[in-house]
């Protein structure tokens, strides 16, 4: 009888352990799924080795951040985009946009400076908060230059990350280094140059706490294929 009781107790412990392991596995899968950025439908156009992206990141601004635009202090937005081949964490192409907004209390207008990639800088004024937000968060035919054309039959996706007021000095230092490059140059993460500005998908998009900012928006586009020629 004691042996039967011991065997029964062993089976109960085994069942409980199995349930606990299953629960831990389920929780781990849930966490893993939560780390991957959610999908968002984007507009895409492909022409030769240029991919044009259209999408909005208006949810990057909280109500408090929106109200703070008229404070007179600079507001900065950094958007990074990676082109990824399915099941490959290394980006095939990278692009970024940096926007700085400063409200002029005397002219009652917003001075907006946008920078797209190395060597492309634009300075203009807008009158309303909505116009300033659109300039900072709406990507309209945003160009992503590729070293090689997409291969028909293969699947691709875009990973997009927006940061409101990035706080990392190292990150902003890398932005300045990119701005000093000649126009049209591209450096791919993992190319041996030691750059971490874009990194791979896991570093930049799955582990976002590596670089601090006031607020972040991260998402991936729908999967797409290259058009047949």
């Amino acid at each position: 009888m004691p042996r039967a009781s011991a065997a029964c107790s062993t089976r109960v412990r085994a069942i409980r352990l199995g349930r606990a392991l299953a629960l831990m596995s389920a929780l781990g899968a849930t966490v893993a799924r939560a780390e991957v950025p959610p999908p968002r439908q984007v507009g895409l156009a492909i022409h030769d080795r240029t991919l044009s992206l259209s999408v909005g990141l208006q949810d990057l601004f909280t109500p408090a951040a929106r109200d703070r635009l008229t404070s007179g202090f600079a507001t900065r937005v950094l958007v990074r985009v990676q082109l990824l081949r399915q099941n490959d964490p290394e980006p095939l192409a990278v692009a970024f946009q940096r926007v700085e907004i400063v409200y002029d209390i005397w002219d009652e207008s917003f001075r907006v400076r946008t920078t797209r990639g190395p060597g492309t800088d634009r300075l203009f004024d807008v009158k309303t908060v909505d116009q300033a937000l659109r300039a900072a968060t709406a990507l309209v035919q945003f160009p992503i230059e590729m070293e090689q054309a997409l291969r028909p039959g293969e699947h691709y996706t875009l990973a997009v990350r927006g940061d409101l007021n990035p706080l990392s000095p190292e990150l902003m230092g890398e932005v300045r280094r990119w701005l000093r490059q000649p126009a049209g140059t591209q450096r791919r993460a993992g190319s041996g140059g030691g750059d971490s500005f874009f990194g791979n998908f896991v570093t930049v998009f799955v582990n976002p706490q590596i670089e601090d900012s006031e607020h972040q928006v991260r998402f991936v586009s729908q999967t797409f294929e290259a058009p047949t020629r």
Side-chain angles (χ1 to χ4, degrees), residues 82-92 94 159 188-189 198-206:
Q82 291 183 348
L83 170 65
L84 300 162
R85 185 188 291 116
Q86 192 173 40
N87 300 322
D88 185 357
E90 290 296 331
L92 299 177
V94 293
R188 178 181 168 184
F198 287 99
N200 63 22
F201 174 76
V202 175
T203 300
V204 176
F205 293 90
V206 177

Side-chain angles (χ1 to χ4, degrees), residues 48 55 60 68 76 81 102 155 167 173 187 202 228:
D48 294 333
V55 69
L60 180 60
R68 201 165 56 244
R76 297 178 177 86
V81 183
V102 179
H155 294 84
L167 304 177
R187 282 188 294 182
V202 175
T228 57

Side-chain angles (χ1 to χ4, degrees), residues 42-58:
V42 306
L44 293 171
I46 304 171
H47 181 70
D48 294 333
R49 291 187 295 172
T50 301
L51 178 64
S52 297
L53 164 67
S54 296
V55 69
L57 290 84
Q58 290 84 352

Side-chain angles (χ1 to χ4, degrees), residues 15 26 30 40 48 51 56 65 83 85 106 126 130 146 152 206 219:
I15 292 173
T30 300
R40 183 174 298 190
D48 294 333
L51 178 64
L83 170 65
R85 185 188 291 116
W106 303 110
V126 297
D130 287 340
M146 301 175 287
V206 177
F219 57 88

Side-chain angles (χ1 to χ4, degrees), residues 68-176:
R68 201 165 56 244
L69 282 174
T70 55
S71 67
F73 293 97
T75 297
R76 297 178 177 86
V77 173
L78 178 64
V79 179
R80 282 171 279 184
V81 183
Q82 291 183 348
L83 170 65
L84 300 162
R85 185 188 291 116
Q86 192 173 40
N87 300 322
D88 185 357
E90 290 296 331
L92 299 177
V94 293
F96 79 93
Q97 174 175 278
R98 190 182 72 146
V99 178
E100 182 177 278
I101 304 171
V102 179
Y103 183 67
D104 189 328
I105 59 176
W106 303 110
D107 291 339
E108 295 184 341
S109 64
F110 297 89
R111 176 60 55 93
V112 181
R113 181 187 298 275
T114 65
T115 304
R116 285 187 173 184
T120 305
D121 196 77
R122 183 183 173 213
L123 186 64
F124 57 95
D125 293 338
V126 297
K127 285 294 185 181
T128 68
V129 170
D130 287 340
Q131 290 173 330
L133 288 175
R134 178 174 174 79
T137 61
L139 301 182
V140 180
Q141 297 183 347
F142 180 77
I144 303 165
E145 303 295 336
M146 301 175 287
E147 294 183 1
Q148 298 179 351
L150 300 180
R151 300 174 185 174
E154 292 193 351
H155 294 84
Y156 300 88
T157 189
L158 292 172
V160 182
R161 171 173 169 173
D163 283 86
L164 176 62
N165 292 324
L167 304 177
S168 167
E170 294 79 9
L171 176 62
M172 300 315 298
E174 292 192 20
V175 172
R176 286 190 289 271

